[in-house]
Amino acid sequence: MAHRSDESYSQSPFVALADFTRFIQPDVDFFISSFAWNDYYRTIYRTNQVVAHVPDIQMDETLRNRLVAEARFVRALSYFDLAYFFGNIPLITVEPTVATRAPQATQAQTEEFLISELTAIIPNLPLSYGDADKGRATRGSAQALLAKVYMQQRKWSEAAALFAQIATDNQYTLVPNYLDNFTEANENNRESVFEVQFTGAVLEVGQGQDNASASESHDRPNFFGPPGPTYADVQPRRWLLDEYKDSTVTFASGSTTRHLIDPRRDISIVHAGNPDRFYGRTFAQWNWNPNQQYWRKYLNDRTRTDENFSSGINHRVIRYADVLLMHAEAMTELGQMSNALP
């Protein structure tokens, strides 16, 4: 949803796409929303199958409970996105047949389902996995998603308690190098609470379809970067670039030298003042407009000369940074500023 946030805007010549970023959608079947709808419900259909049939398999009980809990987490994440993207939605929680007709649920009803689901599965999810199972839903990912539902409902105490528990479990830390949150080489690191696994090894053969290429690769970089290597359909706003300046923080106690630029700026945004190379060239060598800026997060500009529909960079859905900031927000709403500031 970054393309619709107040941090972004679109100058895309694809008018329908640019309008979509402004919440203008005359065509209800526009491909972004229709792909999202179809793919989420395809996911929900399959998770409903797991929930319906895995309990009947004779196997280790702890493993069986964990696998069902993982499926229920993926279903909950799908409904979380659907509810806040579309509003009222069909809430299907059993394996459907051709005769199934699901009534629409309100956003509030979906939220109550999410609270019930996530509360139920948390005990059956492990705190962490071994290297062979990286990317599976953990207890922390379910707790964070549940806390996000509470944040939407302005239930600050309930959310704060969950965020505090995640911190107490000591499974996550901020990574020393901010760049590690956006590269393929540093996926599933200690800051990642939940991320979608992608591989760039499969060639694109169609978007929004039920095939390995569309499912296993990430195509966001092809739309969010600078012109030439990407379509440049979504750009960060100028005010965001300017927000990375801070003249109040010194390098060390007693120092008169100040951090004028947040180091996260040049990792996040391609702009004329960024000294790095992008796809092998500087900003000036690309002859880009110095008055424009472009997203850099999730780009393959350090390892490729251009983008395509098959990026292997995982999408970090929930980071520990999100947990800390939301925890601070919840405590601020509770009037606990002294606890929120650290």
Side-chain angles (χ1 to χ4, degrees):
M1 297 304 294
H3 57 289
R4 281 183 157 182
S5 77
D6 57 359
E7 297 177 348
S8 300
Y9 73 109
S10 177
Q11 301 183 94
S12 174
F14 187 177
V15 176
L17 177 59
D19 283 345
F20 182 80
T21 68
R22 306 178 187 107
F23 296 90
I24 301 170
Q25 187 180 339
D27 179 6
V28 296
D29 290 325
F30 184 61
F31 78 100
I32 295 179
S33 54
S34 66
F35 283 176
W37 181 275
N38 292 337
D39 291 343
Y40 275 125
Y41 276 106
R42 182 183 291 115
T43 300
I44 289 165
Y45 173 74
R46 289 172 178 167
T47 55
N48 282 335
Q49 289 181 309
V50 173
V51 173
H53 299 295
V54 168
D56 297 330
I57 300 174
Q58 296 300 312
M59 61 189 299
D60 176 78
E61 183 179 7
T62 300
L63 176 59
R64 181 173 61 230
N65 291 341
R66 193 203 84 195
L67 293 173
V68 172
E70 288 181 59
R72 291 170 73 179
F73 172 81
V74 173
R75 182 173 65 179
L77 180 61
S78 299
Y79 275 126
F80 180 91
D81 289 346
L82 282 166
Y84 297 122
F85 190 38
F86 292 103
N88 293 357
I89 54 172
L91 186 59
I92 306 170
T93 60
V94 297
E95 185 179 12
T97 68
V98 292
T100 299
R101 296 294 181 268
Q104 281 196 350
T106 64
Q107 196 171 84
Q109 289 172 325
T110 302
E111 287 175 342
E112 290 309 308
F113 167 76
L114 292 172
I115 292 170
S116 174
E117 276 289 280
L118 292 165
T119 301
I121 67 175
I122 285 170
N124 292 325
L125 291 171
L127 288 173
S128 64
Y129 292 90
D131 289 341
D133 288 307
K134 291 289 187 182
R136 292 181 179 273
T138 61
R139 188 177 306 170
S141 58
Q143 290 170 323
L145 186 59
L146 176 56
K148 290 181 73 171
V149 177
Y150 284 137
M151 293 288 281
Q152 292 287 342
Q153 295 182 324
R154 293 172 169 77
K155 293 181 178 178
W156 313 118
S157 296
E158 292 87 339
L162 285 162
F163 292 136
Q165 183 61 57
I166 294 170
T168 300
D169 287 336
N170 199 32
Q171 297 298 309
Y172 310 101
T173 60
L174 300 180
V175 291
N177 184 1
Y178 181 68
L179 175 61
D180 289 350
N181 292 306
F182 310 105
T183 62
E184 189 170 0
N186 296 286
E187 295 168 337
N188 302 302
N189 59 46
R190 287 274 290 179
E191 188 167 330
S192 177
V193 180
F194 186 75
E195 62 188 72
V196 179
Q197 309 296 302
F198 288 111
T199 174
V202 184
L203 295 178
E204 163 71 16
V205 294
Q207 293 174 295
Q209 306 300 316
D210 187 18
N211 59 54
S213 296
S215 301
E216 293 184 4
S217 297
H218 190 192
D219 63 7
R220 175 177 175 173
N222 213 22
F223 298 90
F224 275 70
T230 86
Y231 293 128
D233 286 311
V234 180
Q235 298 174 241
R237 293 187 182 276
R238 188 73 190 188
W239 69 258
L240 180 64
L241 178 67
D242 295 337
E243 281 293 307
Y244 282 99
K245 296 178 182 178
D246 188 345
S247 60
T248 66
V249 182
T250 58
F251 280 111
S253 179
S255 172
T256 58
T257 305
R258 297 184 181 276
H259 284 296
L260 295 178
I261 301 298
D262 187 317
R264 294 173 297 180
R265 182 192 69 173
D266 294 344
I267 291 171
S268 303
I269 299 175
V270 176
H271 60 98
N274 191 326
D276 294 346
R277 289 179 175 269
F278 317 99
Y279 306 100
R281 304 185 206 173
T282 66
F283 194 100
Q285 287 172 334
W286 276 107
N287 199 31
W288 290 324
N289 184 339
N291 296 316
Q292 298 292 315
Q293 57 284 329
Y294 310 96
W295 284 115
R296 194 180 191 188
K297 288 182 179 180
Y298 293 109
L299 296 188
N300 292 279
D301 68 299
R302 296 170 180 85
T303 57
R304 296 184 184 179
T305 57
D306 62 5
E307 298 289 354
N308 56 33
F309 290 100
S310 299
S311 172
I313 299 175
N314 289 356
H315 179 59
R316 280 71 160 179
V317 178
I318 304 173
R319 285 171 34 213
Y320 190 54
D322 303 328
V323 169
L324 295 176
L325 289 170
M326 288 187 290
H327 193 187
E329 181 182 349
M331 288 188 291
T332 299
E333 293 286 351
L334 292 169
Q336 301 176 18
M337 284 300 295
S338 61
N339 293 324
L341 284 171

